[in-house]
Amino acid sequence: MRLTLSTKLSLGLALTSATILGSYGAWQLQREETELRRTAEHNLRLLGTAVQVAVENSIRDEQVADVREILEALELRDSSVDVLVFDPKGQLQANSWGSSQSVVLVRQALQEVDAARRPEIWFDGPRGLSNLIGVFPLRDDQGGSLGTVAVVWPLDVLRHDLNATATTAVLSCVTLIAGIAGVGWLLSLIFVRRPLRRLTDAMRAVEAGNWTASVPSKGSDEVAAALSEFNSMVRELERARRKLIEAAEAREALESGLQRLDKLVTVGQLSAGLAHEIGSPLQVLNGRARAIAARSDLPQEVRRSAQIVEEQSDRIGKIVEQLLSFARRKGAQMSEVDLATTVRAVVDLMEPEARRRRVGLEFDTSSALPRVVADSDRIQQVTMNLMSNALRATPPGGIIRISLTGASFGENGGADGSVRLRVSDTGGGIPEDVRDRIFEPFFTTWAANGGTGLGLAVVKSIVDEHAGLIEVSTTAGQGTSVTVHFPSAGARSVVAVA
């Protein structure tokens, strides 16, 4: 059985109230009983002392009839009180109403009281609430024993008063506990349960995709503050969600642009190769066809065939020229750029793919880097190609580290300021027999996985275009590190060394 918060609070208040009120009620009952006992004992002592003096005087005067008159007067005043007079030998001489049970109750204390010469008072029965008994010694003028007088006072009235007080206390406690529990349940329902229910409904709405859900928050207590904080959190989450969507769209656009640029570079290299391989033979073929078509001593059919060859070779040349015009890469758009911002954009773009492959990405950059004169788009293309190769080579659980630091590089021992981009992986490294060919176009060891062999070739061409330097360091079984130096703004141009 699941208990609601309001029920738990009500039960807690009820138990707390029961503990406090029960303890206080028990203490009050104990105090009431003590006071009643003290009052009863005081009254009995007064009554016993008065009877003791009166009986002693009557016995000294040898007026036994006066003793009986005293007892009869007491019986008329309070018939519940039993007064018994004993001689020095413990024999009953007179009593107010002759209860044999009273004689039994006081018999054991007669000798002790007579010997001690002082009164003895005690409570008798269960919990000491049946009778209050007092035994008083009787003395003559010389201090000799005249016997004892005993007073037995039934405590029926005291028990009745205590029971009534206990009943009243219990009923009062139960009523007060029920009232406190009811009020506590009502208050918790109004100020706790209802707001929490609205909060739960709002959470479910947000979970279902309703990012405009909110909870009305009134007042200035802790619950209202919690509801207000929840509303603020939902608004912040909505803003963060929009930023993530915008960032994802920007990454997709960047990735699409970089992929398109990579394709154009590939087409350009293919076109350049075709132009080189086809252009010269095509020119020879076209020239020969023109010469044959111009000879008048040849048959018409031969000259017509030569004209057809001439026309078709011209057509092929135009197609190759158009392909070169379409795919020829535009000149780099150089400007001073911050490499940290440029490279970070690519790292953010590749992070989802790294997570999918279960590969860790670590990006580290110095706090103050010199700016470089470069084409931001092509720097991003270099970074993406290097990270793609690193992701392909790194097994699940590995790490790719990208770092940007200030450095220097130079030719013939000289040194110039630069920014060093380093991409390191924890893959298997590059085999020794292919290290010298990694920058060759169309050379790849990943042909079965869709590799074109143009990634590092494009990287090399872009680095050369920026007068930079690229270096590769690899260890079998430990990974590969590719380092690219880009000259800082104002540094002299350096011929790249592969």
Side-chain angles (χ1 to χ4, degrees):
M1 177 181 177
R2 189 181 67 176
L3 298 178
T4 62
L5 180 58
S6 57
T7 302
K8 292 179 180 179
L9 290 175
S10 300
L11 290 176
L13 287 174
L15 292 176
T16 303
S17 302
T19 302
I20 296 174
L21 294 176
S23 301
Y24 180 75
W27 177 76
Q28 282 289 84
L29 286 176
Q30 183 65 32
R31 182 180 178 185
E32 180 74 11
E33 181 178 342
T34 302
E35 289 295 328
L36 290 176
R37 285 175 179 270
R38 186 180 294 114
T39 301
E41 184 177 350
H42 178 70
N43 294 334
L44 178 65
R45 190 177 296 275
L46 292 176
L47 177 61
T49 301
V51 173
Q52 176 190 19
V53 172
V55 172
E56 283 180 341
N57 291 332
S58 299
I59 294 177
R60 288 183 191 133
D61 296 338
E62 297 182 354
Q63 301 293 327
V64 179
D66 291 344
V67 174
R68 296 188 179 278
E69 289 179 1
I70 292 172
L71 297 182
E72 290 175 359
L74 289 174
E75 185 176 357
L76 292 175
R77 183 178 178 182
D78 188 354
S79 59
S80 63
V81 178
D82 189 13
V83 180
L84 304 97
V85 179
F86 297 89
D87 61 14
K89 295 181 180 180
Q91 299 297 320
L92 181 64
Q93 299 297 311
N95 66 300
S96 58
W97 55 293
S99 173
S100 59
Q101 181 65 29
S102 298
V103 175
V104 175
L105 294 175
V106 303
R107 177 71 68 181
Q108 295 179 352
L110 295 179
Q111 298 297 328
E112 296 178 3
V113 172
D114 188 46
R117 298 187 178 184
R118 57 182 178 80
E120 184 175 347
I121 298 175
W122 72 93
F123 289 88
D124 179 64
R127 294 178 53 207
L129 294 177
S130 295
N131 299 285
L132 178 58
I133 303 172
V135 178
F136 302 86
L138 299 176
R139 298 297 173 184
D140 55 18
D141 294 336
Q142 288 75 31
S145 176
L146 297 177
T148 54
V149 59
V151 180
V152 180
W153 193 339
L155 298 177
D156 296 336
V157 175
L158 188 146
R159 286 199 310 274
H160 180 269
D161 291 343
L162 287 177
N163 291 335
T165 302
T167 302
T168 302
V170 170
L171 291 177
S172 299
C173 288
V174 170
T175 303
L176 187 57
I177 291 170
I180 292 175
V183 172
W185 182 86
L186 182 61
L187 292 177
S188 64
L189 176 65
I190 296 174
F191 296 107
V192 178
R193 185 178 179 184
R194 289 180 180 176
L196 290 181
R197 180 177 295 174
R198 290 196 294 266
L199 179 61
T200 302
D201 294 339
M203 288 180 176
R204 290 172 179 169
V206 172
E207 184 180 3
N210 181 12
W211 294 94
T212 61
S214 62
V215 184
S217 57
K218 299 179 181 179
S220 58
D221 56 8
E222 291 82 355
V223 175
L227 298 181
S228 178
E229 288 297 324
F230 171 79
N231 294 334
S232 299
M233 181 188 68
V234 172
R235 289 193 294 268
E236 289 297 326
L237 288 175
E238 171 59 13
R239 282 194 287 268
R241 188 180 70 91
R242 287 199 298 267
K243 289 181 179 179
L244 288 175
I245 292 175
E246 293 172 358
E249 292 175 350
R251 290 192 188 99
E252 290 178 359
L254 177 60
E255 184 178 6
S256 178
L258 292 176
Q259 289 177 350
R260 183 169 59 253
L261 181 60
D262 198 18
K263 291 178 180 178
L264 288 177
V265 172
T266 302
V267 173
Q269 290 183 339
L270 288 173
S271 300
L274 286 174
H276 176 72
E277 298 296 333
I278 298 176
S280 296
L282 189 62
Q283 289 178 0
V284 174
L285 180 63
N286 185 266
R288 294 290 185 179
R290 288 178 184 275
I292 294 173
R295 292 179 57 177
S296 59
D297 59 333
L298 294 177
Q300 180 66 27
E301 182 179 353
V302 174
R303 286 186 292 164
R304 177 59 183 163
S305 297
Q307 289 177 351
I308 293 173
V309 172
E310 178 188 353
E311 292 173 357
Q312 295 301 316
S313 62
D314 287 339
R315 182 182 177 188
I316 293 173
K318 290 180 180 180
I319 292 174
V320 171
E321 183 64 26
Q322 290 175 357
L323 184 60
L324 283 172
S325 299
F326 171 77
R328 186 179 290 114
R329 192 166 56 194
K330 297 180 181 179
Q333 303 297 317
M334 296 294 192
S335 62
E336 287 193 7
V337 298
D338 177 13
L339 284 191
T341 302
T342 303
V343 173
R344 187 183 296 276
V346 180
V347 174
D348 292 341
L349 175 67
M350 300 295 290
E351 188 173 10
E353 178 64 15
R355 284 199 303 268
R356 187 183 70 81
R357 293 173 178 260
R358 291 181 296 155
V359 173
L361 281 185
E362 295 181 0
F363 178 56
D364 180 50
T365 179
S366 299
S367 58
L369 291 174
R371 299 177 71 83
V372 299
V373 177
D375 186 329
S376 179
D377 291 338
R378 297 189 182 181
I379 298 299
Q380 289 184 339
Q381 186 178 6
V382 168
T383 307
M384 172 169 279
N385 284 345
L386 294 180
M387 290 186 64
S388 297
N389 288 344
L391 278 173
R392 189 182 293 117
T394 304
I399 297 176
I400 297 176
R401 296 178 175 87
I402 305 97
S403 64
L404 279 173
T405 56
S408 62
F409 76 108
E411 186 180 19
N412 299 325
D416 295 281
S418 68
V419 176
R420 182 178 63 195
L421 168 64
R422 177 170 291 166
V423 179
S424 304
D425 62 59
T426 56
I430 302 175
E432 185 174 358
D433 57 339
V434 301
R435 292 179 186 175
D436 296 335
R437 302 185 60 192
I438 58 176
F439 294 113
E440 292 181 9
F442 307 106
F443 175 80
T444 179
T445 59
W446 297 90
N449 296 322
T452 62
L454 292 173
L456 287 178
V458 171
V459 169
K460 181 67 167 58
S461 66
I462 294 176
V463 172
D464 290 343
E465 188 177 28
H466 286 74
L469 175 69
I470 183 169
E471 300 171 332
V472 177
S473 173
T474 182
T475 302
Q478 296 184 13
T480 301
S481 178
V482 180
T483 304
V484 180
H485 289 270
F486 293 101
S488 60
R492 65 181 178 84
S493 300
V494 178
V495 178
V497 179

